C-alpha cells in the first residue's frame, strides 16, 4: 500500500451533484478518491461502521474498537489515523484513551454523491 498521506477534504464545501447528475471535475474526483481509498480497506470500513453506528454526536473509545479485530493496537491506531486524514472522523484524547466520532455531514455528502434519482434509473 502507498505510504503517501491522505489529505483532509474541504469540510465547508457544498457537496457537488450526484454521480448520475453531472460528471465529476478533476479536483472533486481527486478529493473523493482519497475518501474512497481510505474506505477501501476492510478494516477501515469496519472501523468506520463501528464509529458511525453510534449515531449523530456519538463517540466510541478506541478501547471498544480494538477487541473487535485480530490486530495489534498500533495497527488499529494506524487505520484510525488514515480515516482521520481522509476527513471522515475526528478524535479527542481523554486521559489514557482516545475517543472517535464521525465528522458532521460526511456520510450525508457521500450518500448524496452515490445516490441516483428514481427517474435516472427508469430512463436506463
Amino acid at each position: 500500500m502507498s505510504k503517501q498521506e491522505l489529505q483532509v477534504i474541504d469540510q465547508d464545501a457544498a457537496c457537488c451533484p450526484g454521480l448520475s447528475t453531472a460528471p465529476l471535475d478533476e479536483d472533486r474526483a481527486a478529493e473523493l478518491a482519497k475518501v474512497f481509498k481510505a474506505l477501501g480497506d476492510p478494516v477501515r470500513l469496519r472501523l468506520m461502521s463501528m464509529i458511525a453506528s453510534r449515531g449523530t454526536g456519538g463517540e466510541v473509545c478506541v478501547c471498544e474498537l480494538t477487541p473487535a479485530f485480530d490486530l495489534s493496537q498500533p495497527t488499529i491506531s494506524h487505520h484510525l489515523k488514515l480515516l482521520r486524514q481522509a476527513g471522515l472522523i475526528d478524535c479527542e484524547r481523554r486521559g489514557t484513551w482516545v475517543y472517535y466520532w464521525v465528522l458532521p455531514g460526511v456520510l450525508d455528502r457521500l450518500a448524496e454523491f452515490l445516490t441516483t434519482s428514481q427517474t435516472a434509473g427508469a430512463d436506463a
Side-chain angles (χ1 to χ4, degrees):
M1 180 153 94
S2 171
K3 295 213 185 247
Q4 68 186 14
E5 287 205 12
L6 301 173
Q7 300 296 319
V8 174
I9 60 174
D10 184 5
Q11 299 297 318
D12 298 323
C15 186
C16 64
L19 185 60
S20 66
T21 308
L24 286 174
D25 65 31
E26 191 174 328
D27 291 338
R28 186 66 179 152
E31 287 176 9
L32 283 169
K34 292 172 186 173
V35 171
F36 288 120
K37 181 177 180 180
L39 293 173
D41 181 90
V43 171
R44 290 192 291 272
L45 192 56
R46 282 189 60 209
L47 285 167
M48 186 69 184
S49 172
M50 292 171 73
I51 297 167
S53 68
R54 293 299 172 109
T56 305
E59 56 190 27
V60 61
C61 178
V62 70
C63 64
E64 297 173 66
L65 297 171
T66 305
F69 299 90
D70 191 23
L71 298 169
S72 68
Q73 183 276 323
T75 300
I76 296 297
S77 292
H78 171 74
H79 285 295
L80 290 165
K81 175 184 169 186
L82 293 177
L83 290 172
R84 276 192 349 265
Q85 289 175 336
L88 296 168
I89 62 172
D90 204 357
C91 66
E92 177 181 78
R93 178 173 293 281
R94 297 179 197 155
T96 304
W97 301 110
V98 179
Y99 291 80
Y100 292 88
W101 59 89
V102 175
L103 287 170
V106 166
L107 298 178
D108 291 334
R109 286 192 298 275
L110 286 175
E112 286 173 12
F113 170 73
L114 292 172
T115 301
T116 59
S117 67
Q118 292 294 334
T119 57
D123 294 338

